[in-house]
Amino acid sequence: MTGGQRKIALVVCLTTMLLAVLDQNIVSAVTVPIVRDLDPAHGIDRVPWLISAFALASTAALPLYGKLCDTLGARKVFLSAVAAFLVGSALCGAAQSMEQLIAFRALQGIGGGGLMSVTMVVIAQLKAAAPAEEGDAKGGKGGSGIGGLVAGAGMALGPVLGGVLADHADWRWVFYVNLPVGLAVLVAAAAVLKLPRHHGTRHRIDFLGAGLAAAFSTAVLLVTEWGGKEYAWGSPVVLGLIAASVLLLGLFLWRQATAAEPVLPLSLFRIPVLRISFALQALIGTALMGSMIYVIIYLQLVRGIAATNASLFLLPMAAGISVIGIVTGRLTARGWPQKTFVVTGTAVSAAAMGILATLSADTGLWVVGAALLLLGLGFGQLLGQLIQLTQESAPPRQLGVATTGIRFFQSLGGALGASLFGTVLARVYEAKGPGGSASRIAALSGEAHAQAIRAFVSSVDTVFACAAGAMLLALLLALRLRVPRP
């Protein structure tokens, strides 16, 4: 590829990543219009499935995407993932019932899971094929610093865009807006993207291993989604899912130890940098998901701020991610050790979570904005560095499975964090509130309303304290990183 083709391809990759992250976070802002249009009687009960269908499908497909990249080549897998995402988006926009929308959202998630992870593999191969001086100028191997910047900004801006579309357009445009951007990505990628082709030995794809990974991740996410909400933790359904998760994990590990070409080689866990990076990414996903969800809920329920305006409070976080992403990318290109940013990023993020854990019903809104800015400055140092460390530490022929592996742990961590934090919030509120669900706060009045607000603030503070604890644990792991010098 020429230098111009590589630049176009990099823009295509970054656009694809932004599209994937925006779509993953944008739907939460239009759930009410969707329910009002498709199923006003029972749609609210199906909203959790609408949100989780994408996460379930994308997480389950991640291990297979990595092996397909290493076997068939990243270009083919990238184009296929974008195409699947576009088909799913078109079907979601045309859905006529909640059941159809949930099914089409899962199809969209299969493509969406590949959009982020496979794009990271494509960027790494683009940088590896570039002249040495050009690769250094862009911030080192993998280009993950820029990728992390785009991903973090998309996480923060997704709810904002969703709120705007919900207020000024039909909810179906949340899905239709993907089509022109995605088609442009497909055309540009097909025209300029030229990556190494795989010749010689015919590789086997471990479909059984991929199926076991998908079944395990689905069972775990169902436990966290249903436990304590749809079913009691001690119910036969939840206990059965826990038992199935343990069994499936054992079968998956056995398959990876015995398969000729596993989808997630256990040899990767023998590399200390990869082992710690996988754990770090899971903890980061847990804390990040909790912070974004419950800041918005606090602003709406406690402070009475409308949904669209509440989502604007995530803009300081996006600004922090953008600024620190640029700074860390340039410093890394100048030789600053990556471990430095992993350590400082986890420390700053833990401090921001600690500030959020002190919120009260009358805390100045500028404090919330400042805490989110600090959170962005912390997470912005982490989003790209760990993926870049993973790509640099993985064997070249296992670049795909290593990259999708770290994304797999981040997705699982985010899903587990959102569900577990929700359980914590519900339990604390039940213990301190006036009775009933937190959803009834707006209908209360007088002293009951004041007591409910105090109980809910205490519940949210507990959630942020748990997130701060997760980041402190991540800090301890970051200090144990031993990154070999190039």
Side-chain angles (χ1 to χ4, degrees), residues 155-294:
M155 290 176 187
L157 295 175
V160 178
L161 180 58
V164 171
L165 290 174
D167 289 342
H168 302 288
D170 189 272
W171 64 264
R172 297 180 187 274
W173 280 100
V174 167
F175 302 106
Y176 287 147
V177 74
N178 296 330
L179 301 181
V181 179
L183 288 173
V185 165
L186 268 182
V187 172
V192 305
L193 195 60
K194 300 175 183 177
L195 299 175
R197 296 180 181 179
H198 292 252
H199 298 285
T201 305
R202 182 177 179 84
H203 295 275
R204 299 177 182 176
I205 298 176
D206 182 18
F207 288 106
L208 176 59
L212 289 171
F216 163 71
S217 58
T218 301
V220 169
L221 293 179
L222 286 176
V223 168
T224 59
E225 182 68 31
W226 286 350
K229 299 175 185 177
E230 300 289 333
Y231 304 95
W233 284 105
S235 66
V237 172
V238 174
L239 292 178
L241 283 171
I242 293 174
S245 301
V246 174
L247 176 62
L248 290 167
L249 176 60
L251 291 173
F252 174 72
L253 293 175
W254 166 79
R255 178 62 182 178
Q256 299 314 286
T258 57
E261 297 188 42
V263 293
L264 186 62
L266 300 183
S267 59
L268 293 176
F269 294 90
R270 300 191 188 104
I271 303 173
V273 172
L274 297 186
R275 188 167 60 244
I276 293 177
S277 294
F278 288 161
L280 275 171
Q281 197 78 333
L283 289 170
I284 291 168
T286 299
L288 179 59
M289 183 61 69
S291 65
M292 292 183 62
I293 290 175
Y294 292 106

Side-chain angles (χ1 to χ4, degrees), residues 432-460:
K432 298 184 178 182
S437 169
S439 301
R440 297 182 61 249
I441 290 178
L444 299 176
S445 61
E447 179 57 29
H449 183 267
Q451 181 186 356
I453 290 295
R454 290 193 296 270
F456 188 80
V457 170
S458 178
S459 304
V460 171

Side-chain angles (χ1 to χ4, degrees), residues 178-420:
N178 296 330
L179 301 181
V181 179
L183 288 173
V185 165
L186 268 182
V187 172
V192 305
L193 195 60
K194 300 175 183 177
L195 299 175
R197 296 180 181 179
H198 292 252
H199 298 285
T201 305
R202 182 177 179 84
H203 295 275
R204 299 177 182 176
I205 298 176
D206 182 18
F207 288 106
L208 176 59
L212 289 171
F216 163 71
S217 58
T218 301
V220 169
L221 293 179
L222 286 176
V223 168
T224 59
E225 182 68 31
W226 286 350
K229 299 175 185 177
E230 300 289 333
Y231 304 95
W233 284 105
S235 66
V237 172
V238 174
L239 292 178
L241 283 171
I242 293 174
S245 301
V246 174
L247 176 62
L248 290 167
L249 176 60
L251 291 173
F252 174 72
L253 293 175
W254 166 79
R255 178 62 182 178
Q256 299 314 286
T258 57
E261 297 188 42
V263 293
L264 186 62
L266 300 183
S267 59
L268 293 176
F269 294 90
R270 300 191 188 104
I271 303 173
V273 172
L274 297 186
R275 188 167 60 244
I276 293 177
S277 294
F278 288 161
L280 275 171
Q281 197 78 333
L283 289 170
I284 291 168
T286 299
L288 179 59
M289 183 61 69
S291 65
M292 292 183 62
I293 290 175
Y294 292 106
V295 165
I296 297 296
I297 293 176
Y298 163 83
L299 291 171
Q300 292 184 57
L301 282 183
V302 178
R303 308 309 291 267
I305 299 174
T308 302
N309 293 333
S311 66
L312 295 177
F313 276 81
L314 295 178
L315 292 179
M317 182 177 173
I321 291 172
S322 300
V323 170
I324 204 66
I326 295 171
V327 172
T328 55
R330 292 180 178 178
L331 292 178
T332 302
R334 294 179 181 178
W336 281 51
Q338 294 161 316
K339 179 181 176 179
T340 300
F341 300 113
V342 177
V343 171
T344 57
T346 51
V348 171
S349 300
M353 294 293 186
I355 294 174
L356 291 173
T358 66
L359 294 177
S360 66
D362 55 359
T363 298
L365 293 177
W366 69 268
V367 175
V368 179
L372 289 174
L373 174 62
L374 189 64
L375 189 62
L377 293 173
F379 278 121
Q381 298 178 64
L382 298 170
L383 289 171
Q385 299 297 334
L386 288 173
I387 294 176
Q388 186 170 331
L389 280 173
T390 296
Q391 292 178 334
E392 291 178 349
S393 303
R397 294 190 63 81
Q398 293 179 327
L399 177 65
V401 292
T403 303
T404 53
I406 197 167
R407 285 281 305 147
F408 178 77
F409 283 103
Q410 181 183 0
S411 297
L412 271 182
L416 291 172
S419 181
L420 293 176

Side-chain angles (χ1 to χ4, degrees), residues 83-158:
F85 177 78
L86 291 180
V87 171
S89 297
L91 291 173
C92 285
Q96 299 300 310
S97 67
M98 286 292 289
E99 291 79 9
Q100 288 182 12
L101 184 57
I102 291 169
F104 297 152
R105 184 72 171 150
L107 174 60
Q108 188 189 35
I110 293 175
L115 256 59
M116 177 62 72
S117 55
V118 177
T119 301
M120 283 293 188
V121 179
V122 173
I123 292 176
Q125 293 189 357
L126 286 172
K127 293 299 177 181
E133 64 275 7
E134 182 179 327
D136 293 340
K138 294 292 184 184
K141 182 181 177 180
S144 301
I146 301 175
L149 168 66
V150 172
M155 290 176 187
L157 295 175

